[in-house]
Amino acid sequence: MDERETQRAGYPLTIPDALLGSEAMLRACATRNFREIFRLVNRRTGSSHADIAAAIGKMTSARVSDIIRGVRGVRGQQVIERISDGFGIPGEMLGLPKRSWEGSPNCIDGTTNTDPTVEVVTDPQSKARTQYIRENPGSLDLLAVAELRQQVQILEARYVTEPSTALIAEIGQHLGQLAYWHTHTTTYSVRRDLYAAQAEASTLMGQLVWDASGRTDHDTPRAYFAQAAEAARELRDPVSEGLALLRTSFVALYGEKNPRTGLEIAQRSAGTVENSSHVLAGLAVLHTAEAYAMLQQRQDCEKALRSAEWHFSQVSANDAGVSMFSPGQFGRLAGSCFLFLNETSRAQTVLEETAKELREGSKSHAIALGNLALAYIRQKKVDEAADTLGKAIDVVERNRGGGGLNLIFQAGRELQPWRAVPVVHELNDRLLNLIASA
C-alpha cells in the first residue's frame, strides 16, 4: 500500500497515483473542471455514480450524473473540499489548503518528498529560530525567509473572506522585517528570496490598504504596487511584476474610474506575462475587456473576452499563476462587462451561474452578487433584486470588502424608486446600519 493510501485509511475511495498524476487529471484540477474530474474517476477507476456520490457525501448519484453530462456545475468551497477529500486529491491541486488526511508533503505525482536535508519545523522551533535571527541577523538563511513568505501567503488566503483592517498590522510587520533583513544580507540566494517575499508582501499590502479605504485611497496602494514591481524586476520575475501592474490597473479602473489609464496598465500587465502565465495573462485581458466595456467599445470588449477564454483553456498545473485561477473569474468579469454595455439580460444569465461557482462569503462573491442585483434592478425585477442584494449585504457585513461595499450602495441607490416597497425599505435600514457600524 502506497503512502497516500496509508494516509487515507478509512476513506471509501482513493484514486490511484497513475490517474492523479496523468496530464488529463492535472489539467482538470488546475482549471477546476469538475465535469472532467468526475468523468475521469468514473471511467478510469470503474467507480459508479453511486460510489462517487458516497465518497463525496451529501450528494446523490443523479447529481453526479448531471455533473458528468455538464447539466450542473459544482458550487461552493465546501463541496470542492469534499471532492478533494472524497477522491484523495491533494488540496494544493485544487487550490485548497492542505487537507487533514495529508501527511508529509507530496509531490504532484503522489510520491513523498524524502529529501533528508529538509527539516520539518514545528511552531516552537520556528519561534526560536525567528528570535535567534532577530538577535543575529547575519545568520539569516533561506528557511527563515521561506517561513516569512508562508506567513504572507496565509494572510493572503485570509484576505479573501476577512476584513482587510484586521490584517494590515501583521503584513506591515513582515514588510518591516524584510526591510531590516535586506540591510544585513549579502548571500545571493537569500537576497533573491527576499526580493520574492518583498514582491508578495508589498502587493498584498497594496490590496489591503485600498480595500480597507473602501477603494478611496489611491496613492498609498499605488506606492506599494510600485514597490512590488521594482522587487519583481530585481528578481527578473515577470509574473510578480505583471500581478503588481494588474493590481495597479484596478486602482485606475475601480477607484479613479479612469478606464483609459486602467486599460493601458492592464495591457502592460498582459504583455509582461504573455510568455510566463496563461492564468495571469487571461486575468489581465479580462480587465482590458472591462475597460473597453466602460468605454462602450463593444467589439474590442468581445475580442478581449474571447482572448481571455483562450488563455484559460491553455492553463496547466505548471502555470506559475495557477493558484490565482478559479472557475468563477471569467463569469464575474464578463457579467460586469455586459452591465457596462447595458446588456442586462445577458449579464443576469452569466452572473446567476457565476454566483454559484464562487466561494461563498468571499469578496469576489459579494461583487458578483452586487452586480447581479444591479442586473435585476435595471430590468425592474424588484423581488429578485432585493433578495440578491440582501445576500450581498450578508457577505459584506462579514468581510467588509471595498468592492462589494461600493456595489451594494450603488444597488441601494438604484432601488430608491421602489423605496415604499417593504423589502426595499428593510434593505435601506440594513445599508444605514452598515454605514453606522463602519
Side-chain angles (χ1 to χ4, degrees):
M1 183 179 293
D2 67 26
E3 177 68 20
R4 188 164 57 92
E5 289 179 339
T6 301
Q7 293 165 349
R8 288 177 54 75
Y11 284 84
L13 176 61
T14 300
I15 61 177
D17 289 346
L19 173 57
L20 186 68
S22 68
E23 183 179 349
M25 180 61 78
L26 292 174
R27 186 185 305 112
C29 290
T31 57
R32 286 189 171 182
N33 183 345
F34 292 102
R35 178 185 182 184
E36 180 66 5
I37 292 172
F38 279 38
R39 189 188 69 81
L40 289 168
V41 173
N42 173 233
R43 294 186 180 182
R44 297 196 187 181
T45 70
S47 300
S48 67
H49 293 183
D51 293 334
I52 292 172
I56 296 171
K58 298 182 182 180
M59 185 175 287
T60 64
S61 57
R63 183 177 176 189
V64 171
S65 177
D66 285 347
I67 292 170
I68 291 174
R69 291 186 295 116
V71 175
R72 299 180 65 178
V74 169
R75 66 187 72 168
Q77 184 78 356
Q78 292 181 347
V79 181
I80 297 173
E81 290 173 351
R82 293 205 310 273
I83 291 170
S84 173
D85 294 338
F87 293 162
I89 300 174
E92 183 181 13
M93 290 179 66
L94 288 171
L96 299 172
K98 190 175 182 180
R99 311 308 300 153
S100 60
W101 51 266
E102 293 185 70
S104 54
N106 286 344
C107 297
I108 200 70
D109 62 358
T111 59
T112 303
N113 182 349
T114 56
D115 185 348
T117 66
V118 178
E119 178 184 3
V120 178
V121 181
T122 63
D123 284 343
Q125 287 175 309
S126 177
K127 291 177 182 177
R129 280 176 50 79
T130 301
Q131 182 61 34
Y132 178 79
I133 290 169
R134 283 176 181 167
E135 297 171 356
N136 303 273
S139 65
L140 179 66
D141 58 14
L142 293 172
L143 187 55
V145 182
E147 289 170 4
L148 187 145
R149 291 183 70 184
Q150 184 179 44
Q151 291 166 19
V152 171
Q153 289 162 7
I154 290 170
L155 289 172
E156 187 173 7
R158 290 173 58 192
Y159 162 79
V160 174
T161 58
E162 295 185 27
S164 295
T165 51
L167 310 175
I168 288 175
E170 193 169 348
I171 197 68
Q173 290 176 351
H174 294 325
L175 282 169
Q177 185 69 68
L178 286 168
Y180 177 67
W181 281 350
H182 264 296
T183 64
H184 291 84
T185 303
T186 57
T187 305
Y188 171 76
S189 58
V190 173
R191 187 172 293 279
R192 279 187 57 83
D193 277 16
L194 284 176
Y195 279 127
Q198 179 77 56
E200 293 165 355
S202 295
T203 299
L204 180 56
M205 179 60 110
Q207 290 176 246
L208 295 175
V209 170
W210 193 47
D211 190 57
S213 75
R215 299 186 169 186
T216 59
D217 177 359
H218 310 317
D219 293 338
T220 306
R222 278 185 183 278
Y224 279 113
F225 295 145
Q227 189 178 78
E230 182 180 357
R233 284 191 290 271
E234 289 285 350
L235 190 61
R236 293 180 176 82
D237 179 358
V239 173
S240 294
E241 182 182 357
L243 179 59
L245 287 170
L246 183 58
R247 289 289 175 186
T248 307
S249 76
F250 294 176
V251 176
L253 288 170
Y254 313 124
E256 297 169 336
K257 311 295 184 184
N258 187 337
R260 293 194 184 280
T261 299
L263 173 62
E264 186 272 330
I265 301 172
Q267 288 173 329
R268 284 172 52 201
S269 173
T272 300
V273 302
E274 183 177 11
N275 299 316
S276 303
S277 169
H278 281 294
V279 169
L280 202 53
L283 291 174
V285 173
L286 264 182
H287 288 282
T288 68
E290 191 169 24
Y292 283 128
M294 292 177 182
L295 294 166
Q296 298 301 300
Q297 295 178 215
R298 186 181 305 273
Q299 289 186 343
D300 289 327
C301 174
E302 296 277 6
K303 182 179 178 181
L305 288 175
R306 290 193 296 271
S307 177
E309 278 191 300
W310 178 82
H311 277 294
F312 289 152
S313 73
Q314 303 301 306
V315 171
S316 71
N318 296 322
D319 193 297
V322 72
S323 63
M324 293 179 276
F325 182 77
S326 66
Q329 286 166 327
F330 181 86
R332 182 170 66 82
L333 270 296
S336 179
C337 288
F338 300 145
L339 270 182
F340 280 115
L341 294 171
N342 298 314
E343 297 185 21
T344 52
S345 177
R346 193 177 178 190
Q348 174 192 326
T349 301
V350 172
L351 290 166
E352 283 176 340
E353 190 61 35
T354 299
K356 299 171 186 176
E357 295 177 337
L358 291 167
R359 179 177 176 182
E360 292 185 12
S362 67
K363 292 172 183 177
S364 294
H365 189 217
I367 290 172
L369 290 172
N371 274 327
L372 179 56
L374 288 170
Y376 286 134
I377 292 167
R378 293 171 189 177
Q379 298 176 83
K380 297 182 171 54
K381 298 180 178 180
V382 179
D383 290 340
E384 294 93 331
D387 179 64
T388 304
L389 181 55
K391 293 175 182 176
I393 293 172
D394 289 341
V395 177
V396 172
E397 283 175 338
R398 295 193 296 272
N399 63 40
R400 315 297 296 193
L405 273 169
N406 291 342
L407 284 171
I408 64 173
F409 283 118
Q410 181 181 347
R413 289 192 296 271
E414 294 191 20
L415 269 176
Q416 287 314 293
W418 298 275
R419 58 185 174 275
V421 178
V423 68
V424 176
H425 182 74
E426 292 174 7
L427 289 172
N428 285 336
D429 288 342
R430 292 190 67 187
L431 290 172
L432 289 173
N433 289 334
L434 197 58
I435 295 172
S437 65

